[in-house]
Amino acid sequence: MDTSAGRVELTCAGAGRPRVVMVPGTGANAAAALPWLRVLSRRWATTVIDLPGQPGLSDPRRPRRARLAWYGQVVDEVLAAIDADGVVLLGNSLGAAVALAAGSPRIAARALVSPAGFIRLSVDPALALASAAWLLRPTSEHTLRMLRLFVAPGTAPPEIDVEWMALVAACCRTTLAPPPLPADLLARRAAVPCVVGVGEHDRFLPPRRLAPVVRRTMGLDVRVLAGLGHLTTPVHLDAVVSLVSQVAEPPGR
């Protein structure tokens, strides 16, 4: 579809209400999120957005400033174009910050996984060193070394994610982590049902730092997902479905 940001590609599967619209994180798209789409579409009609300016099939351009507001407008335009009401907006990492920036009245609820937008991401020396090596020389070895820090200790990242992120660093200019959204915007978003989940081993968004800010700004308790780092692997997608179901199928509906 065409938007004010250029062409935006959507990938859809499944049937049933409500519609879940997923916004992937930095360097991801519908192709990288196919495991998410398969699992979610078994229960709900699901649409994944390839964000413009990210690796994928949408327009490659992105603005230099006010990126989150720009992305939020893109999502609002997508929801209007597909004429979807009562949407559960699912955001992962950068996609969670975008989901919070979007303010369409078509959004009935939000589910945020490993969410940017609340705090600045923590980057310890090991992460900084591994990320620099990945960007400067994106070999499989350097990518694997970096992604080991995105998953739980002692866990190997999926080979397909290693291959994909090596391609991203070799072929694209990745975006930096987004800054926190304004506190007054987060307070307004609290008017719509929302659930937040983060991995117990997330080094970028440690639960001990994230949880107090989410509680202060939106009055929500963060669900800490056992065995999960910042990267949501296919074995943890049942936890994502459980998180989404809290707002898609609340008790008593």
Side-chain angles (χ1 to χ4, degrees):
M1 57 168 289
D2 292 324
T3 71
S4 59
R7 182 174 177 82
V8 172
E9 187 83 8
L10 309 177
T11 305
C12 307
R17 296 179 64 86
R19 175 176 292 277
V20 174
V21 176
M22 181 192 173
V23 189
T26 303
N29 54 28
L34 276 179
W36 295 61
L37 181 60
R38 291 191 186 103
V39 170
L40 292 164
S41 64
R42 291 176 192 149
R43 294 179 63 165
W44 306 288
T46 304
T47 298
V48 182
I49 302 174
D50 275 21
L51 286 177
Q54 297 292 331
L57 298 178
S58 295
D59 194 291
R61 296 168 294 180
R62 60 191 178 219
R64 293 179 179 271
R65 298 179 181 85
R67 230 171 248 168
L68 283 180
W70 180 77
Y71 275 132
Q73 176 63 31
V74 169
V75 172
D76 289 346
E77 290 182 35
V78 167
L79 298 184
I82 64 177
D83 196 24
D85 287 319
V87 164
V88 174
L89 197 56
L90 168 61
N92 176 226
S93 192
L94 166 66
V98 173
L100 287 164
S104 170
R106 297 173 182 270
I107 301 168
R110 294 179 177 86
L112 311 177
V113 181
S114 305
F118 288 102
I119 60 175
R120 292 195 179 277
L121 272 62
S122 298
V123 181
D124 57 43
L127 268 172
L129 185 62
S131 298
W134 167 68
L135 288 170
L136 292 171
R137 199 160 165 245
T139 62
S140 294
E141 180 184 353
H142 286 163
T143 307
L144 176 61
R145 186 178 302 163
M146 181 188 70
L147 287 184
R148 283 190 185 279
L149 302 176
F150 282 59
V151 295
T155 303
E159 289 184 13
I160 193 168
D161 288 313
V162 175
E163 182 181 357
W164 172 250
M165 293 306 291
L167 281 171
V168 167
C171 303
C172 307
R173 182 173 296 176
T174 187
T175 52
L176 297 175
L181 289 158
D184 60 335
L185 183 147
L186 294 174
R188 293 198 303 273
R189 297 300 184 252
V192 173
C194 182
V195 287
V196 180
V198 68
E200 65 171 326
H201 301 292
D202 194 323
R203 300 172 69 132
F204 288 103
L205 301 165
R208 68 180 185 280
R209 288 190 57 229
L210 179 67
V213 177
V214 175
R215 191 174 300 115
R216 184 177 68 248
T217 56
M218 294 187 69
L220 298 172
D221 290 328
V222 171
R223 179 173 167 183
V224 178
L225 306 177
L228 180 65
H230 188 71
L231 178 65
T232 303
T233 62
V235 298
H236 296 105
L237 286 174
D238 284 347
V240 172
V241 171
S242 175
L243 198 71
V244 173
S245 69
Q246 291 183 40
V247 286
E249 301 168 358
R253 174 174 288 184

